[in-house]
Every structure is written in structure tokens, then in C-alpha cells.
Amino acid sequence: MSFKYHNESALCQAIQNESRRGTPEVGIVSPIEMYESVIIILVTGFFAFLLAFLFSYIRKHIYKDEDNLDISFDAGGNVNAGLTATTVVSQWTWAATLLQSSTVAAKYGISGSIWYAAGASIQILLFSMLSIQLKTRAPGAKTFLQVIRARFGKRTHITFCCFALVTNVIVTAMLMLGGSAVITSLVKLISVEYATTLIAAILGGYTLIGGLGATFYVSYCNTAIIYIVMIILIFKVYEEGGDDSNPLGSIERVFDFVSCSKGPEGNKDMSYLTIVSDEGLMFGLINIVGNFGTVFVDQSYWQSAVAAKPKQGVLGLLLGGLAWFAIPFSFSTTMGLAYVALSAKQGEGLLTDDDVNAGLVPPVVAYHLLGKSGAIMIMVMVLMAVTSTGSSEIMAVTSIIIYDIYANNLKPYRMTTDTNSCILCGKGRGRMANPRDKCTCISMTFCQNCHQDTKNRAECRRAIKPEYKCVSHGQYREYNDYLSHLRNWSLVWTTIAIIPLTITLYMIQASLGWTYLFMGILVGSAVIPITLSMFWERLTGVAMMAGGISGTVAAIIVWLAVASTYDGGLTDWYNNTGKEVAMLCGNLVSILGGGLVTIVVTFLTNRNYEPGRNEEVWENTRDIDNPLSPWMEKYQKELNLSGAHRLDNRASLAEVRKAFKRASNMAFSISISTSLILVVVWPASMVAVGVMNLGEFVGWVKLSEVWAFLAMILMIILPLVNEAWDIWSALTVRNKVGNGDDEELIRNMASHVKSSLQSQQGRRNVSITSTVPPAKAKPNSVIEENHEETADHVSTISTGIDQQSVTPSDFANPTSLKDATALGLFQRPIAPNSPLPPVAFSDTELPSTANDDRAPGYQNSGTGNGPLSPVSLPKQDVPAIEFSTPVKSAAVEKSKRSTDSMASTNSRFLRSEASLPLDKQEKTEFMDSDFSDVIAHTVPTSTPAKSNLADVRSEISDLDEPLF
């Protein structure tokens, strides 16, 4: 980059005379030997592998997480705010953050520093609003594209899958361009192919081992290293004190050199020490537009939101955005101005224009100030940035391939017509379900057969594990295992694809700066449609597609048209298409044109929209869920929700909004106000300053130093404290549970359920009753179903039996799953007023049973094992209905039930809806077999009804078998 002195003052004349005494050094020396670079890369990889194994160990042995698909992509869904913040900082710290920010500071002065930092921080801050929208309106979604699919269908979904994948390609390209440029410039005799292969192997290896969770741990360490190295360089440039080895070392010396340097013609007084810069402002606008695209359209940031609960996610994004601001602001203020100062000292630029655009400003400054150790520091910083963001991009691409391309379009588990249909049984759920054929599936968490399957597979030492025996979840778990296998291959192939991508970009000589400015033209048009999909109920899929596609096409046309007006036209491709004006026009047309088309087409295609349908729009997105681990279980504490294991039992949208209203208010208020301060108030106030004097420059530098130091302390201490507390809490729970037995775990949860029920009693007016019979009582009326090779399932109708209320204090320490059922862990009230076919029972004598351990509710009419006495029914008949296991399909229903699942038949609990009229109170009886294996309804009524026993059997239609 050419260099000129700004004025002929005595100070500048002295600096100019001193510069003539030495020989200028142009270009960068490669001080690192290739074997040293290989050792650095391998040590970094080994450290990342250790962290990945550590995360896997903690999740498996402390949190007791299952090795399933969702854990790989959401890290358990309960990541704390500290880890979320440090992960956001690490993900958003690209190689471009370190290299390109210093480049624009060296080219435009302090305007480049502030516009890079502010123009790329507001996206993270504002993304917190989208995060809380996703977590309240689609809590079970793993990608933002699943929300688009649920709302707008397949075509719109595929269109924005393309936008998301293009974004991941662009971000990965910039990572590898910056990383390979630094490594090849600092390391002797190393090729781009070799460096790229080493980095790709590290990325794929530890991401494959630990999944998304490993990226959280690695991101924490990488962020800490980046901040520490940055603080060292800041101290070296501004605070060490000048000597022969350090030509800078103080703020005053840096100011003297920079103030004597001639800046761009668009800067006020051609000074580097002013924010009034035409080129700097154009870069700021391009930066804002382009980074909106690479945050809002990049699945990796949505993954960070998915991995945390709403409050923790919002707080993590806000803290992460403010902490990240320090990296480009402080680092570029230091390295960019140090480059200008060192160039002034020798009277010529340290690098050529091509090297500056390639992002080599930080390496050359570090080498001049610290020698070989400085070059190693920069290499480590860039390597940290590449590994953290690269692993996040790999996980983002893999999640799109698995959840959106394969599971949604190519090979779904079940061809359901909409998300409201249960993926396990195919029946309707919630508001659209037929009460006679409604899904009553439960989650895997409280399924005894699933726990037995997990135990059997864990104890099996063979390569081929036993098949899943659970008839409810077994096939879906097998499908998830297949997706996990596919995930591993997707990770491998995505990692391998990085190598030819980087080599191709290197061969066509695409620079980091050009790619950074160009990204907004391709993906900026998708920003407003995606944002509206989380907020605007009236939005249509046609409008989203029209806005996204037309915005990109128009942006490319405008960009090329403006570039062709320069000398040489499009034949001088990189110079003319990379001009600030051409890039600015293309970026603005992309984001504004795409948004305008989306809004206009929405009003044209949805003119008859009814505002009353707003809630139904979001019910479709709330149906997105994993039936093995529904989102209600994760939020049951925040929502005071009992019976969260039932897939059909979830809080309303209004209840979810109310529970997270504080987080929503915090996201909207802090993100908007802080964004306005960073991009409007602060730059406007600096315009009044004009060109800085020494005192104002000292204040600017001190601000950058304090911000960097506070951000370092926050990002090192907060995640460590949060994670240590979470691990300690998990260990405490595990120690109380003992050996981790399911019933012990339920006893540990009893206190929480008790408080949950007490809060629910006032809101839902639910009372729980239990039938308490004499010991070894015999039934008055029994309906027996005999199955071959199985135990008998008995479903009874209780008539005239004394009932007593069961309060939570009665079961403060439940001793079995049956007692826990009374606390509401395994039940929810069935929808009232459901039509039930009537049944009448004659006064005939029922068969006897040799089992003395009969279920509570039977009445003894004799001694020993003699015949049972006839039933004393009231004069009116009692209608009742018996359902078979609700989660079984027709084919499975005909199969034999295992003896284990039928063994526990000696306890029942009744739950009544006290809020119903007395003559229509509904009581649901659960038998403690598979937690809800047999359900019987008894509804007192004043209307006599008679029917044969055969009429009780409900007809079950055949359902589709799972597809692989």
C-alpha cells in the first residue's frame, strides 16, 4: 500500500528524515518453519479432541444424556448464558474479524474500526429478538427452516434451504481464505493444500466426537486465547514504552506517526484520525447489510439459540454481542493504526495493496513488534478463529442435511399430512384431534420399556446391539439411530468438501476482502423474509420466495451494471466489481428490494386474511417436536406444567409468552437501544469531533483497552462459573438419586412435582383422588382380557367405593412409580365432554382369580380364593369405555404384550376435573403398566344406556408403517 506524509510540520519532517536512514522492508517474511506449524496445528487439534471427549464424558456420566440425534445438535437444550455468550463470540470471530477489520483500519483509519465493529455487532444483538421468537413460537424446532416448512410448505422450504447452504459456503470460504493466507505467509514452504487438509481434519475430528456441545467447550478455550493474545498486542503497541526493539510502545508515539500520515482523500483533512470518511461510511453500510445475511440466514447462530433456554439464550446473545464488539474495535484500532505508524517510520508501506487486501496486516505488524513469537501468536489466533467457526458451520450444514433435506423431504419417518399429526401413532393431537381417535402417546422419558431397552443395549458388549422392544418408541428410536449414522457421514463429507472449495477459491485468486463485500449481494435478500416469518402471521410462502429470489437477481444486475461503468469494465473483474460503490449498490438492492417485494406480494396474495387466525399460524410451528423428548419436558419448570411427558399436553402460546415475557422485553429493549447507540448516536457524536487531537485519541485508545479487558474477564469467568455450577447441581441430583434407578429419580423429583401441583391447582382446578380398598380385597365387577403368553390385564369399573382425597403431602416420598403417578408425573386429564360408547353389565358371576395381590378398588365378598360375588350395580347402567394402549398402531395392537409390561397391575389412580359440573365429572383411571398401558373412563351420568361388551372395542384404522 502506497504511503505519503500528511504535512510538513517540524515533527513530520523529523519523522521523514529518520525514515531515510534505514532500508524499507516491504512484504512479509515467513519466520515459522513448516515442522513448527505442523506441531502447532496438531497440538491445537489434540487439545480440541480432549475437550470433545470431556464434553461427551460430562453429558453421559453426569447429566445422564442419551447418545441420540438431538443431543448432537442442541447439546441437551439447556446450555447456560455464559457458554452461549462465549460461543457466539467465538462463532462470530472469523478470520475476517481479525484480518479484515485491521485491513479497513489501515485503509480508512478509525472510521474503519468503528464501522466494522458496530456494523457487525448489531446483528448479534438484534438476533436475540429472533431467538426469543423461535423459542416461544417453535420450541421444538432444531433449525429455522423447520419453521418455514411448517408455515409455508415444501417449495418455500427448499428455496430457503438453498439460501442457508449458500450462506454456509460463503462463511466457510472466508474462513479458509483468511486462514490459508495467514498460514502460507507465515510458514516456510507450506502449501495451501497441505494447510487446508490439516485444518479440515481437526474440524471434522472433534466435531464428529462431541457434536455441537464440543464446539461450546472448544469455543470457550478459543475465545479465551484470542482475548489474551489481543491484550498482549494492545499492551505492546500502546503501553510497553518505546525502545530500539519496539518503535511504538506508547499512545503518544503512535499518535505522532499516524497524524503525520496522509489518509484517503475521502477522509476529512485526509486524516486517519477522523470518523468522517466517505469510503469508511460506504464500507459500514456494506458491512451492516452483508452481516445481516450471514447471521440471520446462517443456521449456526440459530443452533446457539436452540441449544439454550429462552432466558439464557437472550442473555447470552446480548452479552456475546457486546463482548465481541471489543475484538474488531480494540484489535483493529491497535493493529491497523500500528501498521500506519510503522509505515510512517520507514517511509513506505509494509505491504503491497494485494497483501493488504489479503488480510496480512496483523501478521506483519506482530512480526515487526515481536518477531517470530508475534507471528506464532497471530497464527494461533487465526487458527482458533477458523476452528471455532468452522466446526459451527459444519454442524449447521449437517443439521440442514439431516433435519430439513433428509428427514423432511427425502425419507421422512411417517408421511403425515401436517405437523399436528403424531409421528408415532399418526393420530391427531391437540386442537384438531378427534376425541375418539386422539393421540395419547407419552415421551420416552417415563417409558419403562424404553429404559429397559437402553439398559439392555448399554450392557451388551457385541457390535450389533439388541433390537428395541418398546412397541411405542422402538421403531422411531431405530429411525433416529439411522439418522445419527447418516449425521456422521454428513459431517465427514462436509469436512472433505472444504478442501476443494478452498483450493478452488485460491486458484481463482479470490481475496478475503472481495468475498467479504460480496456476501450480502447473494444472501441479503433473505434477511427480511426470514425475519417476518418469525413475527408476521399474514406472510405467505409465495411472498417469501418472490422476495428472496427477486432481491438476489436484482442485486446482481445492479452490482454488475455499476461495476461496468469503471475503466476496463468487467474485464478488470476483481478491481471493478470490488469497488465500494458497486458493492454498496448491490448490497442495498438485495436487502431492501427483497424486503419490499416480500411485503407487497404478501398483501396481494393474502388479501382475505382473517386476523382471528393468528394463533392457528403459530400452533403449526409449535407442533414441531421430537416425540422421544418433547419440548414440554424441558420447560415444565418454567411453565409449571405437570404431565409434560404426554405429547398432547402442552401449555398454550399465551402461557409460554407470559412465562418468558421478561426475556422478550429484555431482548427487544436492549438490542434495539444498543444498536441505535452503536450505529447512530456514537458515530454522530464523533462527527462533531472532526479530526482527533492527542487528548481525544488517548480517550479513544483507553476506551478500546478497557472494553477489551472487561470483555476478556467476562468471557473467561462467566462461562466457567456457569458451567461449574451446572455440573455441581447435576452431581448433587445424581448423588441424591443414588445409582440412577428410575424410581429413585422420581422420588427426587417429588418435591418439584408437589410444588408444581400446588401452583396448578389454582390455575387448572385439578384434584386427584385415589381408591383405597381393604387389604387383599376382591373385586365386585371385573372385565378380564386374556392374552396368550402374557399376564392378565384387568380393567374395572368402581361403583360405590369409598374414595379419599390424596394431597401432595401424602406422597412427599413416593416409593414406587404408582405413587409418583398420583403426583401427576404420568397423567393428564382427558378432554371433557368426549363421546363415550355405553356399556351395560349383567348381574352374572364373573370368573375367579388365583391372584391374591389384586389391584386396589376390589371389594371382598368372601374369604380365600372362592368365587366373586355378583356386582351390586345401581339401577341405572354405567357407560364406560376401555381403550387399548394408545400409542400402538393396528399391526402392533395385534401382537402379544410382554409379561414385563403387564406385571404391574395392582394400583390405580383416579383424577377428576373438579371444574366440570358434578353430573359430568370425568375420571381417568391409569394402570401402572408402562405408565399408561390401559386407560378406563368412568363417567357418572343420569342417562341409562346399554350395549354389548363387543361394542366397547374401538375400531382402529391401519396406519402407515415408518419409512426409511
Side-chain angles (χ1 to χ4, degrees), residues 95 171-181 195-196 199-200 203 386 498 502:
V171 173
T172 305
M174 285 190 291
L175 286 174
M176 301 308 297
L177 279 175
S180 61
T196 303
I199 295 175
L203 294 178
V386 171
I498 292 176
T502 306

Side-chain angles (χ1 to χ4, degrees), residues 466-480:
E467 294 183 356
Y468 295 107
K469 299 296 182 62
C470 178
V471 294
S472 302
H473 308 99
Q475 289 185 334
Y476 190 77
R477 293 185 71 181
E478 184 179 351
Y479 178 73
N480 261 12

Side-chain angles (χ1 to χ4, degrees), residues 167-185:
T167 303
N168 295 131
V169 170
I170 292 175
V171 173
T172 305
M174 285 190 291
L175 286 174
M176 301 308 297
L177 279 175
S180 61
V182 170
I183 292 175
T184 53
S185 63

Side-chain angles (χ1 to χ4, degrees), residues 58 106 123 142 186 192 279 293 326 362 402 421 473 505 519 575 658 697 718 760 783 810 856 886 896 919 958 962:
I58 290 174
Q123 291 82 3
K142 295 295 180 290
L186 293 177
V192 174
E279 291 87 352
I402 298 300
S421 300
H473 308 99
L505 293 172
M519 61 185 178
N575 286 333
K658 182 178 179 181
F697 181 69
L718 180 63
Q760 286 286 323
I783 303 174
D810 294 330
K896 305 292 186 298
D919 60 335
D958 291 336

Side-chain angles (χ1 to χ4, degrees), residues 389-651:
T389 311
S391 62
S392 299
E393 295 302 316
I394 291 174
M395 289 300 299
V397 172
T398 303
S399 65
I400 294 173
I401 293 174
I402 298 300
Y403 285 112
D404 295 290
I405 296 178
Y406 192 87
N408 254 334
N409 292 299
L410 296 181
K411 294 290 183 179
Y413 175 76
R414 186 185 295 276
M415 300 296 294
T416 54
T417 56
D418 56 38
T419 53
N420 186 247
S421 300
C422 176
I423 197 171
L424 292 179
C425 65
K427 298 180 180 180
R429 296 183 298 172
R431 68 213 176 277
M432 300 175 63
N434 185 338
R436 294 177 63 93
D437 190 33
K438 187 176 182 180
C439 168
T440 54
C441 298
I442 64 172
S443 73
M444 188 181 71
T445 307
F446 297 122
C447 178
Q448 191 177 29
N449 288 339
C450 283
H451 284 285
Q452 187 62 42
D453 285 341
T454 302
K455 183 178 180 181
N456 293 339
R457 292 170 68 88
E459 293 175 350
C460 178
R461 302 303 179 189
R462 298 180 180 178
I464 301 177
K465 301 297 182 181
E467 294 183 356
Y468 295 107
K469 299 296 182 62
C470 178
V471 294
S472 302
H473 308 99
Q475 289 185 334
Y476 190 77
R477 293 185 71 181
E478 184 179 351
Y479 178 73
N480 261 12
D481 290 346
Y482 176 74
L483 292 182
S484 297
H485 179 72
L486 182 63
R487 180 215 65 176
N488 295 336
W489 280 109
S490 299
L491 282 172
V492 171
W493 288 110
T494 302
T495 304
I496 293 175
I498 292 176
I499 300 174
L501 172 65
T502 306
I503 295 173
T504 301
L505 293 172
Y506 179 77
M507 292 177 64
I508 65 176
Q509 298 180 347
S511 68
L512 176 63
W514 187 92
T515 308
Y516 186 85
L517 298 176
F518 174 70
M519 61 185 178
I521 294 176
L522 283 183
V523 300
S525 61
V527 172
I528 294 180
I530 290 175
T531 303
L532 293 177
S533 70
M534 298 292 168
F535 287 92
W536 198 21
E537 294 85 356
R538 188 168 185 169
L539 182 66
T540 64
V542 174
M544 287 192 68
M545 289 189 294
I549 296 173
S550 64
T552 299
V553 172
I556 293 175
I557 293 174
V558 171
W559 169 57
L560 294 177
V562 175
S564 64
T565 61
Y566 296 107
D567 294 338
L570 297 180
T571 55
D572 191 3
W573 176 259
Y574 285 112
N575 286 333
N576 290 340
T577 57
K579 297 286 186 181
E580 285 83 358
V581 176
M583 288 291 189
L584 176 62
C585 293
N587 276 270
L588 290 177
V589 169
S590 179
I591 191 169
L592 298 179
L596 180 62
V597 171
T598 301
I599 294 173
V600 171
V601 174
T602 294
F603 283 109
L604 292 177
T605 57
N606 201 6
R607 288 173 290 182
N608 299 324
Y609 177 75
E610 300 175 2
R613 296 174 52 195
N614 289 353
E615 297 298 325
E616 182 60 29
V617 169
W618 304 120
E619 289 301 321
N620 290 331
T621 61
R622 280 157 43 84
D623 287 333
I624 305 170
D625 207 354
N626 180 0
L628 302 182
S629 179
W631 61 264
M632 296 84 72
E633 290 184 345
K634 296 179 181 179
Y635 297 156
Q636 61 181 346
K637 181 179 179 181
E638 290 84 353
L639 299 174
N640 287 326
L641 184 66
S642 62
H645 64 288
R646 291 196 169 277
L647 303 188
D648 191 46
N649 180 27
R650 70 185 184 198

Side-chain angles (χ1 to χ4, degrees), residues 683-963:
S685 64
M686 292 300 298
V687 171
V689 173
V691 179
M692 290 183 182
N693 55 35
L694 178 58
E696 292 163 344
F697 181 69
V698 170
W700 181 275
V701 173
K702 291 298 181 182
L703 175 63
S704 68
E705 291 177 347
V706 171
W707 204 317
F709 185 77
L710 292 178
M712 180 187 69
I713 297 299
L714 180 68
M715 290 298 101
I716 292 177
I717 294 179
L718 180 63
L720 193 63
V721 172
N722 283 166
E723 189 66 9
W725 176 260
D726 290 345
I727 293 175
W728 174 261
S729 301
L731 283 172
T732 303
V733 172
R734 192 187 70 171
N735 292 336
K736 290 181 179 179
V737 172
N739 294 327
D741 184 78
D742 291 335
E743 296 190 8
E744 294 289 338
L745 178 62
I746 293 169
R747 281 196 286 271
N748 180 263
M749 295 170 60
S751 60
H752 164 64
V753 176
K754 178 171 64 176
S755 61
S756 175
L757 286 176
Q758 290 172 346
S759 62
Q760 286 286 323
Q761 188 172 4
R763 186 161 60 93
R764 297 190 176 183
N765 198 20
V766 176
S767 64
I768 303 176
T769 60
S770 173
T771 302
V772 183
K776 295 187 178 181
K778 296 182 179 180
N780 284 341
S781 69
V782 179
I783 303 174
E784 291 191 350
E785 288 185 351
N786 296 321
H787 300 274
E788 295 180 2
E789 299 178 4
T790 66
D792 294 337
H793 262 249
V794 182
S795 178
T796 67
I797 306 299
S798 301
T799 59
I801 300 175
D802 295 334
Q803 295 182 353
Q804 68 181 24
S805 297
V806 178
T807 63
S809 61
D810 294 330
F811 290 93
N813 295 299
T815 58
S816 66
L817 298 178
K818 301 182 291 295
D819 294 344
T821 305
L823 294 175
L825 285 173
F826 312 120
Q827 60 189 356
R828 76 179 295 272
I830 304 301
N833 302 327
S834 301
L836 302 174
V839 177
F841 301 96
S842 62
D843 293 340
T844 58
E845 193 173 278
L846 297 177
S848 63
T849 175
N851 182 13
D852 288 336
D853 297 329
R854 295 182 176 88
Y858 300 159
Q859 290 187 346
N860 192 353
S861 61
T863 59
N865 295 324
L868 304 177
S869 62
V871 180
S872 299
L873 291 175
K875 295 185 183 291
Q876 61 184 22
D877 296 308
V878 180
I881 179 170
E882 178 183 293
F883 290 96
S884 61
T885 305
V887 294
K888 300 179 178 61
S889 63
V892 177
E893 193 67 39
K894 297 176 183 179
S895 66
K896 305 292 186 298
R897 299 185 179 184
S898 65
T899 304
D900 291 339
S901 67
M902 304 291 290
S904 176
T905 59
N906 57 354
S907 179
R908 294 191 186 96
F909 299 93
L910 294 171
R911 179 172 182 170
S912 65
E913 291 289 346
S915 58
L916 296 177
L918 293 177
D919 60 335
K920 293 186 178 181
Q921 285 189 7
E922 179 177 327
K923 299 179 180 179
T924 307
E925 184 174 12
F926 292 86
M927 295 189 67
D928 191 12
S929 171
D930 266 342
F931 308 101
S932 61
D933 203 294
V934 176
I935 301 175
H937 292 270
T938 62
V939 182
T941 180
S942 57
T943 305
K946 293 185 178 181
S947 175
N948 295 326
L949 182 62
D951 296 334
V952 177
R953 307 288 182 244
S954 60
E955 298 180 359
I956 304 175
S957 59
D958 291 336
L959 302 173
D960 296 332
E961 292 299 321
L963 300 176

